[in-house]
Amino acid sequence: MKTKMYATLLATTLALSACQPSVDQEVAVDTGEQPAPIHVQARNPQVMAMAESSSVALAKSRNVAKKMAPDQVMGSAMPYGMMLPLERGIAPSIKPDFNVEAYSYVQEQGFVVVENDPLSTFSVDVDTASYSNIRRFLQGGQLPPVGAVRIEEMVNYFTYSYVDSATHPVAINTELGACPWQPEHKLVQIGIKAKDIAHEDLPPSNLVFLVDISGSMQSANKLGLLKKSMKMLVTKLGEQDRISMVVYAGAERVVLTPTSCKDKETIVAAIETLAAGGSTNGAGGIAAAYDLARQGFMPGGNNRVILASDGDFNVGTSSVGELEKLIEKERKSGVYLTVLGFGMGNYHDSTMEVLADKGNGNYAYIDSLQEAKKVLVSEMAGTLHTVAKDVKLQVEFNPKTVQGYRLVGYKNRRLADEDFNNDSKDAGEMGAGHTVTALYEIIPTGVELEEASVDPLKYQGARPAKQSTEILTVKLRYKLPKEDSSRVVSAAVPNTSVTHEASADFTFASAVAAFGLVLEKSNYAGEMGYGNIVTLAKQGRGQDDNGYRAEFIKLVEQAELLRMWNR
């Protein structure tokens, strides 16, 4: 049976190699019961019949693969587009007939010379959308586009065993270790932990669902998945919570006025009525949702708009700049924003990220019911209940011990150094129980620094550094949700030799960061390959109650298979 299957797969691969994918598509094969069409432009017309018959043959062969044990499939040669049977996720494998997904690409930054600029300042980021979106690509048989890779969101998808503060809602944790992708360098892990709040102690919620029901949402993995996700959240809410709902397509309308969660049947019935059709006037829906949130505002509660969409705004105010201004205006009302992304093919990640960043919010991508449960049920307190706002970090490096540094990820979260002390400057929010991780790759003194340098300054000499064995000092500034003045906490990292065994959290976070570097084709990934990443992740798997770290290892293995078949 195996021999026959291998022969069929080989015939298919040969047929596809003679074909050129159409301009806006990639060859991908479904893993469902019915064979998906393979859209090709033939270099030679004679191969078209061969490609068509091979598509049917491949469908038969994958039915054979379904009957094989998982270890048999893992050990088999898999053609591009044929999926491994991963344990989680329901991302559909049928590729749409077009792909107009939109991602923003931010140029990678190199090492900074400490003598020239000893300060690094950035806003925290609790978003996780990039990781689950990357998972969707990999489970769909494709490597993700470079613009979809945001390393900080990949690392922050996972929780880490950081310690709480007894006096502040956020606490600083640090660890120094070896850099896996550049052995001569060191890696500093800065972990921020927000305090936990027991479910029974959460304040009441005034939630407004803002639901995109335009024609672009008309598929099972969009509006269908969204409706199931909303109902999961409703079951988790208490009698003191209220829900209302605004929908938008060509125009916006209120389908549920503020309703107590005592009456969950009415709420669920309103969710069930949702159906897709029409264009997308996102700006009109945003304004209506914030109006509704202000009408039902709870002074001591959690007031939040939950925007669920694919981000394809095409009517009314649709430019990212205008939407950004609208959200910045609305956030002054004290209403927070959670952005949930759905769908594929025309997904506008760039728009969704901007809305969350500018709306005092967070951003998650929902690719499955399991992910909806993670975001809206298991991590509901972190997703919906802010404990610290405008959270930003400033790191000062010691030139006596560090020559150069590079912040891994956070490309669009960098701030000017003077913004750290400016309380009017917006930064990220942290919810109850959230963890945020930042990794700095540092070049110790005495190690060659290959980055471009500038000539010595004529009028300014180097100021002598204070004698200290520290590598850096971390300062964290935050505001309480109801306050406008910030508070500061700080911690120093001593320059210890890296001889101890790194913690499981440090090891795993560095493996996730390395995966991101490889996926975005970073110039700083060194010799790191997928096999090295798998080994590192296994070493740092640690306690993995929900299986998220085990799933990560499978995704890295999937990426390696896709790379092999895309050579």
Side-chain angles (χ1 to χ4, degrees):
M1 181 180 295
K2 282 188 178 181
T3 303
K4 183 177 180 180
M5 185 182 75
Y6 291 154
T8 304
L9 298 183
L10 179 59
T12 302
T13 304
L14 291 174
L16 294 179
S17 66
C19 302
Q20 177 67 34
S22 59
V23 175
D24 58 353
Q25 300 167 349
E26 295 183 28
V27 175
V29 180
D30 176 34
T31 56
E33 296 301 324
Q34 298 297 324
I38 301 177
H39 301 281
V40 295
Q41 292 176 346
R43 294 173 184 163
N44 185 335
Q46 294 178 348
V47 305
M48 292 302 290
M50 184 178 180
E52 183 178 355
S53 61
S54 296
S55 177
V56 176
L58 180 56
K60 293 179 179 179
S61 68
R62 65 176 174 237
N63 287 333
V64 174
K66 286 181 181 178
K67 300 176 182 178
M68 296 169 61
D71 58 337
Q72 290 178 294
V73 178
M74 286 294 295
S76 304
M78 306 293 289
Y80 173 71
M82 188 165 183
M83 280 301 303
L84 300 180
L86 299 179
E87 294 176 359
R88 284 170 36 87
I90 60 169
S93 53
I94 300 178
K95 189 172 176 64
D97 290 339
F98 58 90
N99 191 325
V100 291
E101 297 195 5
Y103 298 94
S104 296
Y105 175 74
V106 181
Q107 184 66 38
E108 183 175 44
Q109 294 187 350
F111 282 96
V112 178
V113 179
V114 174
E115 287 188 351
N116 296 338
D117 188 0
L119 293 177
S120 173
T121 309
F122 65 99
S123 166
V124 301
D125 184 4
V126 298
D127 299 346
T128 60
S130 178
Y131 180 80
S132 49
N133 193 28
I134 288 170
R135 177 175 63 203
R136 185 256 300 185
F137 275 103
L138 294 174
Q139 290 183 342
Q142 302 176 70
L143 291 171
V146 171
V149 180
R150 294 187 289 274
I151 295 178
E152 70 277 11
E153 295 184 23
M154 296 175 65
V155 174
N156 289 331
Y157 181 86
F158 304 91
T159 56
Y160 304 93
S161 303
Y162 298 145
V163 179
D164 284 326
S165 169
T167 56
H168 296 274
V170 286
I172 301 173
N173 295 254
T174 62
E175 184 173 350
L176 175 67
C179 180
W181 52 87
Q182 184 54 263
E184 292 184 339
H185 297 175
K186 293 182 179 180
L187 201 63
V188 178
Q189 181 185 41
I190 300 173
I192 311 301
K193 174 67 167 65
K195 69 176 182 180
D196 292 298
I197 300 178
H199 182 75
E200 58 271 18
D201 296 329
L202 292 172
S205 291
N206 166 38
L207 303 179
V208 181
F209 284 122
L210 175 55
V211 183
D212 181 354
I213 59 167
S214 63
S216 66
M217 291 288 289
Q218 194 171 12
S219 65
N221 70 310
K222 292 187 179 182
L223 188 57
L225 178 58
L226 167 57
K227 290 164 67 173
K228 293 176 182 177
S229 303
M230 291 167 65
K231 287 186 285 187
M232 289 175 65
L233 174 59
V234 170
T235 61
K236 186 72 172 178
L237 296 174
E239 293 184 354
Q240 78 278 14
D241 301 317
R242 290 200 301 257
I243 286 181
S244 50
M245 190 174 357
V246 175
V247 298
Y248 65 94
E252 71 282 354
R253 60 186 173 90
V254 176
V255 298
L256 183 69
T257 56
T259 302
S260 168
C261 285
K262 290 180 181 178
D263 191 5
K264 292 184 178 180
E265 290 185 2
T266 298
I267 298 171
V268 171
I271 294 172
E272 290 289 1
T273 64
L274 301 181
S279 52
T280 314
N281 182 14
I286 290 170
Y290 275 91
D291 284 343
L292 204 56
R294 284 189 289 269
Q295 291 174 26
F297 193 86
M298 294 179 172
N302 167 44
N303 299 278
R304 184 174 295 266
V305 171
I306 302 176
L307 168 61
S309 174
D310 58 11
D312 185 15
F313 301 155
N314 51 38
V315 171
T317 300
S318 58
S319 74
V320 174
E322 290 300 316
L323 289 169
E324 183 177 327
K325 291 178 182 178
L326 174 61
I327 285 292
E328 287 179 336
K329 173 187 172 184
E330 296 289 0
R331 78 179 182 212
K332 296 176 182 177
S333 63
V335 177
Y336 291 89
L337 177 67
T338 290
V339 175
L340 303 179
F342 290 83
M344 58 187 292
N346 64 330
Y347 187 66
H348 286 231
D349 171 81
S350 54
T351 302
M352 303 291 273
E353 185 190 16
V354 166
L355 293 178
D357 290 350
K358 301 301 179 182
N360 282 353
N362 46 57
Y363 170 32
Y365 178 80
I366 308 298
D367 62 333
S368 66
L369 277 177
Q370 290 92 337
E371 185 65 14
K373 180 181 178 182
K374 177 181 184 291
V375 173
L376 297 175
V377 178
S378 303
E379 299 175 3
M380 184 187 76
T383 302
L384 302 182
H385 294 271
T386 299
V387 298
K389 66 180 183 180
D390 291 337
V391 183
K392 43 194 170 183
L393 294 175
Q394 187 167 79
V395 180
E396 180 183 359
F397 291 90
N398 181 4
K400 289 288 186 181
T401 55
V402 181
Q403 279 192 97
Y405 63 88
R406 195 177 84 87
L407 176 59
V408 181
Y410 292 92
K411 295 177 185 177
N412 58 0
R413 291 288 184 156
R414 315 289 171 107
L415 298 174
D417 293 336
E418 56 269 23
D419 288 340
F420 184 74
N421 292 328
N422 183 356
D423 279 354
S424 66
K425 187 67 177 179
D426 183 57
E429 279 61 51
M430 292 191 68
H434 264 154
T435 59
V436 169
T437 301
L439 297 171
Y440 278 96
E441 181 181 353
I442 63 172
I443 303 176
T445 53
V447 177
E448 183 179 359
L449 177 62
E450 297 181 354
E451 293 295 300
S453 60
V454 297
D455 292 336
L457 298 178
K458 181 178 180 180
Y459 302 108
Q460 300 182 50
R463 290 177 295 179
K466 292 182 179 179
Q467 295 300 318
S468 172
T469 59
E470 296 170 352
I471 278 189
L472 57 84
T473 295
V474 185
K475 291 188 291 185
L476 181 151
R477 190 176 289 275
Y478 72 93
K479 300 173 189 172
L480 294 175
K482 304 299 180 183
E483 295 183 0
D484 295 321
S485 297
S486 63
R487 309 181 186 199
V488 179
V489 293
S490 64
V493 178
N495 183 25
T496 57
S497 59
V498 185
T499 56
H500 63 281
E501 183 177 349
S503 69
D505 281 346
F506 180 96
T507 303
F508 188 80
S510 63
V512 178
F515 188 41
L517 291 173
V518 172
L519 287 178
E520 70 175 6
K521 302 177 176 65
S522 169
N523 294 323
Y524 300 94
E527 300 299 320
M528 207 69 180
Y530 292 115
N532 307 116
I533 296 169
V534 168
T535 299
L536 196 63
K538 288 180 177 178
Q539 292 172 357
R541 178 174 172 178
Q543 186 172 348
D544 186 27
D545 294 338
N546 295 308
Y548 299 138
R549 296 190 179 191
E551 179 192 56
F552 170 78
I553 294 170
K554 290 185 178 182
L555 290 177
V556 178
E557 293 171 339
Q558 173 79 345
E560 183 173 25
L561 286 173
L562 292 172
R563 180 188 61 83
M564 290 169 54
W565 285 102
N566 279 311
R567 282 179 176 175

